[in-house]
Amino acid sequence: QKWRPFCLRFEGVVEDFNYGTLLRLDCREDYTEENTIFATRIQFFAIEIARNREGCNSVVYSRAREPAAADAAS
């Protein structure tokens, strides 16, 4: 109910704004049954943009770069 007015602002602006998608509750963890909820696409975008601005996703980014750095060193 609280999200609805926010989401409706993007109708016609963001394609498929109200389609469902999976969202991680804890952005430091992978997608698992316990760490995943169903959200609308615009909710996913809003939460992920906020996480990026706050630096929350830097843990995931660093973890993804580790194997690439190890491959480059060998």
Side-chain angles (χ1 to χ4, degrees), residues 10-72:
F10 295 94
E11 186 173 14
V13 177
V14 175
E15 186 177 341
D16 301 330
F17 77 103
N18 63 344
Y19 277 33
T21 189
L22 298 177
L23 176 68
R24 291 172 297 143
L25 294 171
D26 183 345
C27 62
R28 296 168 295 180
E29 302 297 326
D30 290 330
Y31 284 95
T32 63
E33 188 173 340
E34 298 80 25
N35 193 42
T36 305
I37 61 169
F38 193 74
T40 64
R41 181 171 291 174
I42 201 64
Q43 287 174 308
F44 173 84
F45 287 154
I47 292 168
E48 287 299 322
I49 289 169
R51 286 175 174 174
N52 286 332
R53 288 181 177 169
E54 294 176 3
C56 298
N57 284 334
S58 60
V59 171
V60 175
Y61 178 75
S62 297
R63 196 176 337 153
R65 291 189 48 99
E66 286 173 7
D71 289 343

